[in-house]
Amino acid sequence: MVLESTIICIDNSQYMRNGDFNPTRLQAQQDAVNLITQSKTRSNPESNVALMTLSDLSVLATLTNDTGKILAKLHQVTPNDCMKFISGIKIAHLCLKHRQGKNHKTRIVAFVGSPIETDEKEMIKLAKKLKKEKVNIDVVNFGEDECNADVLNKFISTINGKEGTGSHLVTIPPGPHLSDALVTSPILQSEDGSGGVGGSSAAGFEFGVNPDDDPELALALRVSMEEQRARQQADGGEVEAPKGDVAQSVTEDESSEEALLQRALAMSMDTGDVDNGKQEKDLGSMTEEEQIAYAMQMSMADSDTPLLQKLNLVDVR
């Protein structure tokens, strides 16, 4: 993987309040910067990333491989004034010149979502200087892409020269997510053709991992997914079992009252003599509700009132 120091320049002008990218241009940039930062650091753990703004020209984070530091500073950015493209790129170049890893290749990733209000000659002059210093630059042109397309094309063409391909211009029309359009762009492809997080090198593979590149990781992800599916199926079976028990208990509750009345009626109509041994046995095997019904039958046995009339007067519930 390419060892690289990258500084990401975000546009934080007042144009970033627009909502043509979801939810705003500024927040769409934050998601895209997160994606690029993860891609750079995971492609090579020794690569460094820095962060600065193109409006107030502030270096928010110097070169580091701590993505948490970059993201913490990123979410503190607010819209401010207008974009100063040339001054911002010059400051970014200066930061890269003072990098600790002198063997690192250098790259600038600039987000441009505002009109570039500068002389074209100054842009070409800056491009020639970057080419001489062997600094590659990737420009994400969005929001005001039509008015900036011509000058940015000339800017990138000058840096690349006739045969160079190290610098890129990615023009993104308005859409729901800025980061989605960057997933398959050259910005997330390193110079050796491999991609980082969400790069196209892993596209089409299960879990986004090429088994040829990292077979152990691919196997671990597959085993983990199978275990998760097995747990979900087991949980589903455990949930379905109680449903049948609940339905059965509801049915039993509905029929218990009717069964109780039927049993009480049958016992009250029984005129035969019952021996004491059998009575004791029957009482011991009866439930509490059956014993109550039996007691009702015994209490009504000595009365001359018809049975049905007694049942209407007594609440057996």
Side-chain angles (χ1 to χ4, degrees), residues 195-254:
V197 176
S200 60
S201 65
F205 293 104
E206 189 178 14
F207 313 115
V209 176
N210 188 345
D212 296 332
D213 294 339
D214 197 338
E216 294 182 356
L217 177 59
L219 178 60
L221 290 172
R222 187 177 298 107
V223 170
S224 177
M225 179 60 70
E226 290 176 356
E227 291 177 350
Q228 179 66 17
R229 288 174 181 170
R231 283 194 297 268
Q232 291 177 350
Q233 292 176 357
D235 293 342
E238 292 175 359
V239 171
E240 290 176 0
K243 290 183 179 179
D245 296 339
V246 172
Q248 184 177 358
S249 63
V250 170
T251 304
E252 291 177 354
D253 292 339
E254 291 177 351

Side-chain angles (χ1 to χ4, degrees), residues 287-309:
T287 64
E288 183 177 357
E289 292 180 348
E290 291 173 342
Q291 292 177 5
I292 294 174
Y294 183 74
M296 289 171 52
Q297 181 266 332
M298 297 295 293
S299 65
M300 290 187 294
D302 298 332
S303 176
D304 296 333
T305 307
L307 176 63
L308 294 179
Q309 183 178 353

